[in-house]
Amino acid sequence: MSKENTETENGESSVTTEEISEKRIGCAHYKRRAKFVTPCCNKLYMCRYCHDEKEEHYFNRKSVTELICTECDTRQKVQAKCIKCGVTFGKYTCLICNLFDDEDKKQYHCDGCGICRVGGRDRFFHCERCNMCLPVQLQEVGHRCVENVSRANCPVCLEDIHTSRIPCHIPDCGHLLHRPCFEQMLRSGHYACPTCQTSMIDMTNLWNYLDSEVAATPMPPEYANYKTTILCKDCHKLSTVKFHVVGLKCQHCGGYNTCQTNGFHKDSGTSDQCETSTPSSSRSGSSSSQPDTTEQRDENDTTDTREEHDTTDTHGPDLPRANPLDEPPQA
């Protein structure tokens, strides 16, 4: 039907048959020329997402053994072309995943992941330990491996990550979460990984702001000499710092992403230096009825200082860190 024959009385042109047929190819998720015969319920669906939206159970497309050509309605086994009319079911065809798609999304099948991904094989590599595809930039600068990290659900929406069509954000800590969930967390004022509480973005500007707030907000005299032991969630080191209601600054990385490991205590006033230490109950747990002498306190201070330096030396070098990038979604 030509466009000249489709004009109406008011001069408007109707949609051509070519445009109608083009719109009817596939569904909202894929453009293809075949329908699956689902073995779970023996019904016809264009894809697994169409099935899952209408049924109360999930459908594994790898279990499909038969399909129907949408051009000639011929029922046949799963293959790339129709045995009757010869039409190709999809420009991209993967008979391992039973995936057919006419849209060019730079799809490729990853044997390690066991699924088809989008984005181009040359842009990603498969990490055996993480058991997922990662951008090649992370292969050059290094990344923090978390074993089988993509097999866990998103910690925000609790939906599957490995087979998700939604891109996943990869923070420096290596844990995954959907990019929309990550952006929603930032809009809500949450900047720490929901799995390990490590900062997911560069927090330098906020730490500088808190430095100025601490300097402008002195503690009352009765609390000015109190100290507490903290654990930094970014560098994972212990520090003994002066207590402040605004925040407790890590003495190693300078961040405020910290938490107290015990209560605060009043400083003796002999030294304002903050050293790395571990929580100890021996200093306040003495059962002796006689008061401590000056020599005993000096010995205790020397022992504590020696233990503190030993603890500091046990920390190994940090693992290589990389800028956050996205994992390729499933095709």
Side-chain angles (χ1 to χ4, degrees):
M1 182 184 296
S2 63
K3 289 187 177 180
E4 291 78 9
N5 295 332
T6 59
E7 292 186 356
T8 58
E9 295 180 358
N10 56 5
E12 296 179 354
S13 60
S14 60
V15 182
T16 62
T17 55
E18 289 82 7
E19 293 174 345
I20 294 176
S21 61
E22 182 70 20
K23 290 181 180 179
R24 289 179 179 175
I25 294 177
C27 59
H29 310 100
Y30 299 100
K31 292 181 65 176
R32 57 177 55 156
R33 293 177 171 84
K35 290 184 178 181
F36 290 143
V37 180
T38 58
C40 52
C41 52
N42 198 28
K43 296 180 181 179
L44 300 180
Y45 284 101
M46 192 63 68
C47 71
R48 65 185 180 101
Y49 296 105
C50 294
H51 171 277
D52 295 345
E53 289 173 359
K54 295 183 179 180
E55 303 293 339
E56 296 181 354
H57 57 275
Y58 291 101
F59 161 52
N60 182 7
R61 68 184 177 198
K62 291 185 178 181
S63 63
V64 174
T65 58
E66 291 183 305
L67 52 77
I68 293 180
C69 176
T70 57
E71 300 294 325
C72 62
D73 295 328
T74 301
R75 185 162 178 164
Q76 55 199 289
K77 67 177 184 180
V78 176
Q79 50 196 330
K81 295 183 178 181
C82 179
I83 58 175
K84 183 177 181 180
C85 63
V87 66
T88 301
F89 296 135
K91 294 179 180 178
Y92 175 81
T93 299
C94 177
L95 297 180
I96 300 176
C97 298
N98 290 334
L99 177 63
F100 309 95
D101 199 349
D102 263 354
E103 290 187 78
D104 183 15
K105 304 172 185 174
K106 297 183 178 180
Q107 302 95 325
Y108 69 97
H109 181 83
C110 176
D111 293 328
C113 293
I115 58 176
C116 291
R117 301 271 189 194
V118 300
R121 188 184 298 274
D122 57 333
R123 294 180 54 205
F124 302 95
F125 76 100
H126 184 83
C127 176
E128 295 296 335
R129 185 175 179 184
C130 295
N131 202 6
M132 59 179 287
C133 286
L134 296 171
V136 293
Q137 292 91 331
L138 296 182
Q139 191 176 27
E140 299 172 358
V141 301
H143 69 282
R144 181 167 295 177
C145 286
V146 180
E147 191 172 358
N148 291 327
V149 62
S150 69
R151 298 309 195 270
N153 292 338
C154 173
V156 179
C157 65
L158 303 180
E159 293 293 334
D160 181 61
I161 286 182
H162 184 67
T163 59
S164 175
R165 301 185 75 197
I166 304 174
C168 291
H169 181 71
I170 310 174
D172 286 349
C173 60
H175 299 110
L176 299 182
L177 67 163
H178 289 132
R179 171 160 285 279
C181 297
F182 167 71
E183 294 173 351
Q184 180 63 37
M185 287 187 64
L186 297 185
R187 288 193 294 266
S188 302
H190 300 285
Y191 307 109
C193 171
T195 302
C196 65
Q197 296 300 305
T198 303
S199 299
M200 295 188 294
I201 61 175
D202 185 9
M203 305 292 289
T204 304
N205 292 335
L206 179 57
W207 301 159
N208 293 335
Y209 171 76
L210 291 179
D211 283 339
S212 62
E213 286 294 307
V214 170
T217 314
M219 290 292 290
E222 57 268 27
Y223 295 105
N225 294 324
Y226 277 86
K227 289 189 174 183
T228 184
T229 303
I230 61 172
L231 172 66
C232 180
K233 299 177 183 178
D234 289 338
C235 67
H236 308 292
K237 295 180 180 180
L238 291 167
S239 303
T240 299
V241 299
K242 283 190 174 183
F243 178 79
H244 202 284
V245 292
V246 173
L248 302 173
K249 183 176 181 177
C250 175
Q251 298 299 297
H252 300 280
C253 66
Y256 284 87
N257 186 17
T258 59
C259 62
Q260 290 182 249
T261 60
N262 56 13
F264 53 88
H265 58 276
K266 194 169 185 178
D267 189 19
S268 60
T270 57
S271 176
D272 292 335
Q273 185 178 4
C274 298
E275 299 288 346
T276 304
S277 64
T278 56
S280 175
S281 60
S282 60
R283 299 185 62 180
S284 61
S286 176
S287 61
S288 175
S289 59
Q290 297 181 355
D292 294 336
T293 63
T294 304
E295 293 180 356
Q296 289 175 337
R297 287 198 299 268
D298 293 340
E299 291 177 359
N300 290 338
D301 293 340
T302 304
T303 304
D304 289 344
T305 304
R306 182 165 60 251
E307 291 177 354
E308 290 163 1
H309 287 297
D310 293 341
T311 304
T312 304
D313 294 338
T314 57
H315 291 289
D318 292 337
L319 294 174
R321 304 170 73 89
N323 293 328
L325 294 168
D326 285 350
E327 176 203 14
Q330 184 185 14

